[in-house]
Amino acid sequence: MKALWLEVASAVGVIPLAVARYRDRHSVARKKSDAVDAAALANILRVDMAVHRPLPADSELVQAVAVLARAQQDAVWDRG
């Protein structure tokens, strides 16, 4: 479930500071928890989805760089 919300939040582009401020408004405790963060993200996207714009899709160049970076990281891990 956590991965799903991270995927949705990153696709929509919810700023982490916005989540923190929303959590502060709707939580009595200052303690951070994954359950409270998930509820905050769900409420932000449910109530204010129109305010947050979707992020643009990655270009072919960005995707190529990601593949190369992943291959380089795999080579480093295999070496060690």
Side-chain angles (χ1 to χ4, degrees):
M1 187 63 148
K2 179 179 173 184
L4 174 64
W5 280 116
L6 288 175
E7 187 72 26
V8 170
S10 63
V12 173
V14 177
I15 301 170
L17 186 58
V19 177
R21 295 297 177 256
Y22 190 88
R23 183 178 52 239
D24 289 345
R25 286 192 320 233
H26 296 284
S27 178
V28 176
R30 306 277 306 168
K31 185 175 159 187
K32 183 177 178 182
S33 75
D34 289 340
V36 172
D37 286 349
L41 280 172
N43 285 329
I44 287 171
L45 295 176
R46 181 178 55 83
V47 175
D48 295 330
M49 185 69 150
V51 176
H52 301 283
R53 60 188 168 145
L55 295 174
D58 289 341
S59 67
E60 290 182 24
L61 179 60
V62 170
Q63 291 174 356
V65 169
V67 168
L68 290 173
R70 192 172 302 118
Q72 190 269 343
Q73 185 64 53
D74 288 343
V76 168
W77 286 342
D78 290 343
R79 184 179 56 182

